[in-house]
Amino acid sequence: MFLGHISNMNLNVYPEAIQFALRYLQSTDFDALEVGRYPLKGDQIYAQVLDLETQHKSDNLPEVHRHYLDVQYLHSGKERIGVAVDLGENQIAVAYDPERDIQFYQDAKSESELVMQAGSFAVFFPNDIHRPNCIDGEKSKIRKVVVKVAMSEIKEGQ
């Protein structure tokens, strides 16, 4: 997992595919985009623009992916994201869906929380359990962008 702020980052520390995603996040006016899916490099790298309302932690199931990593960018609002390392010890709530590349757990052992503010981003790899869209203080509307990067785009040795 990586955590940072879009206004203060050293791109050189990230693999090229993540640099590509972060450059897209830095250079795009998300106020001008409609909610939806935007291909950046076919199905290998694409962005999802989402308008959401944060929910109670208990109403959000922790999730993992197998073939894509998430670059989750909070454009506006505030949220908490639960995070944990997937050690294979959590009870599955919803079986893996290969079409959506997602599996949900009932809960996440040893979960910590990230406090996200506008401009924050977090990169979640397949071994990173994450529970996004949780309330930070009170319910709020958020605009977030999730750039999905196929793990095949992450080259060894980067």
Side-chain angles (χ1 to χ4, degrees):
M1 182 188 81
F2 299 128
L3 176 66
H5 195 278
I6 205 74
S7 68
N8 183 19
M9 61 182 171
N10 177 1
L11 284 175
N12 296 328
V13 301
Y14 302 108
E16 287 178 25
I18 295 173
Q19 290 179 35
F20 177 87
L22 292 172
R23 281 190 199 96
Y24 169 77
L25 294 171
Q26 279 184 315
S27 64
T28 304
D29 179 2
F30 292 108
D31 293 325
L33 287 183
E34 296 292 324
V35 168
R37 180 179 163 149
Y38 297 87
L40 306 178
K41 189 177 175 187
D43 285 336
Q44 295 302 103
I45 303 176
Y46 62 91
Q48 298 171 313
V49 177
L50 308 164
D51 285 339
L52 305 167
E53 184 173 30
T54 56
Q55 303 294 317
H56 292 283
K57 182 178 175 179
S58 60
D59 293 331
N60 289 331
L61 293 174
E63 63 187 61
V64 291
H65 311 288
R66 292 190 183 154
H67 300 290
Y68 285 84
L69 62 79
D70 281 1
V71 180
Q72 295 200 9
Y73 167 67
L74 188 62
H75 178 67
S76 63
K78 61 182 184 169
E79 76 172 322
R80 286 184 179 262
I81 300 178
V83 296
V85 175
D86 191 359
L87 298 175
E89 57 190 9
N90 296 298
Q91 184 177 356
I92 296 172
V94 179
Y96 178 72
D97 178 348
E99 214 170 283
R100 292 184 56 215
D101 188 42
I102 195 165
Q103 176 177 299
F104 293 98
Y105 290 122
Q106 290 288 343
D107 206 359
K109 289 186 180 183
S110 302
E111 186 176 37
S112 299
E113 292 184 347
L114 304 175
V115 178
M116 306 289 283
Q117 299 175 9
S120 297
F121 70 87
V123 180
F124 299 108
F125 290 86
N127 62 329
D128 297 323
I129 299 172
H130 49 288
R131 186 190 315 237
N133 197 38
C134 295
I135 291 172
D136 181 37
E138 60 188 23
K139 281 190 175 190
S140 66
K141 294 191 182 299
I142 63 173
R143 174 159 274 213
K144 102 182 284 183
V145 181
V146 179
V147 179
K148 306 289 281 184
V149 178
M151 288 304 296
S152 59
E153 292 294 305
I154 305 297
K155 297 177 179 73
E156 288 192 39
Q158 285 189 341

